[in-house]
Amino acid sequence: MGFARTCSVALVGVEGVVVEVQADLEPGVAAFTLVGLPDKSLTESRDRVRAAVVNAGAEWPQKKLTVGLSPASVPKSGSGFDLAVAAAVLGAAERVDPRAIADLVLIGELGLDGRVRPVRGILPAVLAAADAGYRQVVVPEQTAGEAALVPGVSVLGVRSLRQLIAVLTDEPVPEEEPTEAGRPDAMLAGLLVPGAGLGTGLAAGPGDPAEGPDLADVAGQHRARRALEVAAAGSHHLLLSGPPGAGKTMLAERLPGILPPLTRQESLEVTAVHSVAGILPPGEPLVRRAPYCAPHHSATMQSLVGGGNGLPRPGAVSLAHRGILFLDEAPEFSGKALDALRQPLESGHVVIARAAGVVRLPARFLLALAANPCPCGRHTLHGAGCECPAALVRRYQARLSGPLLDRVDLRVEVEPVTRADLLGQGGRGENSAAVAARVHEARARAAARLADTPWRVNSEIPGHELRTRYLAAPGALADAERDIERGLLTARGLDRVLRVAWTVADLAGHERPDCQDIALALELRTGIARGVPVGAGDRP
């Protein structure tokens, strides 16, 4: 009787559980039994592993073979267990030393010819293995760079099962034929899921902000540009409303260019989500720029917050984690889909419960909304001939519910572009690099102030802390207090005004918000003019 064990990782959302793969050989009629709650693709690994072992030059044991995946109570899915199953079988058959694979974590799919094919979710799987105390992992060669992002873990990338057997038995490692130059590599097919990211309009931020759309291309819109800068500096949610052609989409598309690069921890979080979703570009294992996700207004609730058959998959809110979720033509989205954003906007994550299990996915994003004032878009234009009845206008604007708008920090009316601005007579506005520099300085001030706290940007500070620990200048809240008494502000609205005021103060270099900072925050929140001048950085 032969027995061997090794390890792999089962992914539940973007979290991993280390699974012990055990193989047991007993005398009897040759059979292969796989137990431990495998799904259909994992059950089919019996045929893939048998063919791969034979084509790798090893002998398949002609005995009763039982492979168990423990813990048996955790559902397992996907083809990433193939390599671990093959190693455990070879260990039980004493083709390799069982002790050599006992502390290994193996992840990868096997082709019938013995080649090791890459799978999605390598980074979160290796992170889970490292957290469990494992220090040696074996992954497909194409994803070795992604696995190497985890510190303290020794990574071995293999192209075939033959190479793995040679490494484990101290034999000469055979060379595998590389893919011819100019030909597509079929091995990468497992990394990219067709339509997984295209349906959400996902686009990673440019590696260099200068490569993306520039704010200097936007004509006029000084107040909206100021709101964009505040949103980027404090990660505040933003609503741009105005007639068609005013530049709402142009402004939102330039928001990634003024965001600072992701920190190392944030990059790992984003890369893990994109790896599980199957949209991580091959050869670029680490996402360094904030993602930008712009789903079409026909998107369903499941595509926004996550869902799918079996265990839920990441939706647009998770694909935009640490980046921007832009909903163009926001009133055209279904009310059910929009209201599903309320919980992740507050908590920074989304919990999806299905019959197959409960998944917690990260969803801390900057929400940017763009909306027309009415179905025809001409309601706010004087003399433009809007024929929408008042009741229709009210119903259209009510599609963005009050509870959702209460979670939006900045609400800006985007005015039509004047002839002077459009023809460049007012001068060219600041470029993205200049605005990004101020945003970086403001974030540095906030990070220094919040160094000993779990928060890093102003939008994350709880309201209780703002009212008791981070106080504004004496008398600065007089206008805000009057707005609360008049019913213009809710308790949540006051907290968000204070957060925006701290961001405005950081951009201006103030020690704490003064009356003018609070007034600008109130104007951006309520849309009521407070006589605050446009910031110095907004005009050329």
Side-chain angles (χ1 to χ4, degrees):
M1 182 176 69
F3 177 82
R5 63 182 178 85
T6 187
C7 294
S8 190
V9 178
L11 288 177
V12 182
V14 293
E15 299 175 355
V17 178
V18 176
V19 173
E20 188 175 77
V21 181
Q22 305 169 344
D24 178 70
L25 284 174
E26 297 178 355
V29 178
F32 188 171
T33 305
L34 183 65
V35 297
L37 285 185
D39 72 343
K40 179 65 175 176
S41 61
L42 183 50
T43 302
E44 292 173 348
S45 68
R46 294 178 300 183
D47 299 317
R48 291 194 300 269
V49 170
R50 182 187 291 110
V53 168
V54 172
N55 289 324
E59 183 179 350
W60 184 259
Q62 298 299 318
K63 296 181 180 181
K64 181 182 179 181
L65 171 62
T66 302
V67 173
L69 308 175
S70 180
S73 59
V74 177
K76 291 90 178 176
S77 61
S79 56
F81 292 88
D82 289 3
L83 196 58
V85 171
V89 171
L90 292 172
E94 298 184 351
R95 176 64 177 87
V96 300
D97 187 355
R99 293 172 297 179
I101 62 174
D103 295 326
L104 279 181
V105 175
L106 300 102
I107 307 165
E109 177 186 333
L110 285 175
L112 299 183
D113 56 356
R115 290 185 300 171
V116 180
R117 304 176 65 92
V119 294
R120 295 176 284 114
I122 289 292
L123 178 59
V126 177
L127 284 171
D131 292 341
Y134 293 88
R135 293 293 174 261
Q136 292 181 309
V137 299
V138 179
V139 299
E141 187 180 61
Q142 293 88 341
T143 58
E146 182 181 343
L149 296 173
V150 182
V153 176
S154 175
V155 179
L156 172 63
V158 295
R159 291 186 63 88
S160 67
L161 185 58
R162 289 194 308 155
Q163 289 185 340
L164 177 61
I165 295 174
V167 170
L168 295 175
T169 57
D170 293 328
E171 299 174 0
V173 179
E175 292 291 335
E176 297 292 340
E177 296 182 4
T179 304
E180 296 181 12
R183 292 188 60 186
D185 189 356
M187 300 285 283
L188 299 178
L191 292 179
L192 298 177
V193 178
L198 297 179
T200 57
L202 183 75
D208 181 358
E211 298 175 1
D214 200 304
L215 263 178
D217 300 334
V218 180
Q221 304 298 357
H222 304 293
R223 186 72 64 183
R225 289 166 60 96
R226 176 66 169 172
L228 218 65
E229 183 177 340
V230 173
S235 192
H236 301 289
H237 306 308
L238 172 67
L239 168 64
L240 300 172
S241 58
K248 302 185 295 295
T249 304
M250 281 188 68
L251 288 163
E253 289 175 345
R254 281 147 182 80
L255 192 51
I258 62 176
L259 289 176
L262 299 176
T263 64
R264 175 73 177 185
Q265 180 60 34
E266 291 172 345
S267 293
L268 290 176
E269 293 175 9
V270 174
T271 303
V273 175
H274 289 197
S275 177
V276 169
I279 56 175
L280 196 64
E284 300 179 14
L286 188 64
V287 179
R288 293 183 172 85
R289 296 292 302 173
Y292 174 81
C293 191
H296 190 259
H297 59 75
S298 61
T300 62
M301 184 187 72
Q302 288 76 15
S303 67
L304 282 182
V305 300
N309 296 326
L311 287 175
R313 294 173 51 81
V317 297
S318 297
L319 299 180
H321 180 59
R322 299 296 181 184
I324 299 161
L325 177 64
F326 175 51
L327 303 184
D328 200 2
E329 305 293 346
E332 300 296 339
F333 283 79
S334 72
K336 186 178 179 182
L338 290 174
D339 288 337
L341 300 177
R342 296 185 198 175
Q343 185 254 340
L345 284 176
E346 287 290 323
S347 62
H349 63 266
V350 59
V351 178
I352 308 171
R354 296 290 187 271
V358 179
V359 173
R360 183 181 186 273
L361 298 170
R364 188 168 296 281
F365 55 91
L366 191 164
L367 177 65
L369 303 169
N372 292 328
C374 67
C376 75
R378 300 190 296 269
H379 179 67
T380 57
L381 299 178
H382 298 292
C386 175
E387 298 179 354
C388 299
L392 179 61
V393 174
R394 285 195 301 270
R395 284 198 302 270
Y396 186 81
Q397 295 177 353
R399 293 181 182 178
L400 298 179
S401 65
L404 176 63
L405 291 180
D406 201 32
R407 290 165 168 82
V408 177
D409 304 343
L410 311 174
R411 306 173 191 175
V412 181
E413 185 71 30
V414 181
E415 301 292 340
V417 182
T418 64
R419 183 184 63 179
D421 289 330
L422 193 59
L423 298 179
Q425 298 175 8
R428 186 176 172 88
E430 277 188 311
N431 58 24
S432 294
V435 178
R438 287 199 301 273
V439 169
H440 180 75
E441 293 175 2
R443 288 223 179 182
R445 293 189 186 98
R449 183 173 62 253
L450 303 172
D452 298 328
T453 69
W455 318 298
R456 289 295 173 265
V457 291
N458 293 320
S459 62
E460 298 175 359
I461 306 175
H464 175 72
E465 297 288 333
L466 288 169
R467 295 188 297 271
T468 58
R469 183 175 176 182
Y470 302 101
L471 301 176
L477 289 175
D479 289 344
E481 293 170 356
R482 282 194 295 269
D483 281 0
I484 290 180
E485 294 175 355
R486 296 170 182 169
L488 297 176
L489 272 184
T490 62
R492 180 190 285 123
L494 176 61
D495 293 343
R496 294 189 175 274
V497 166
L498 291 174
R499 292 168 183 158
V500 174
W502 272 104
T503 301
V504 174
D506 288 335
L507 287 168
H510 299 161
E511 289 296 326
R512 53 180 177 170
D514 56 20
C515 293
Q516 194 170 27
D517 297 331
I518 296 290
L520 179 56
L522 284 170
E523 180 175 333
L524 293 174
R525 169 75 183 181
T526 63
I528 301 174
R530 309 278 172 160
V532 183
V534 177
D538 292 327
R539 291 191 184 275

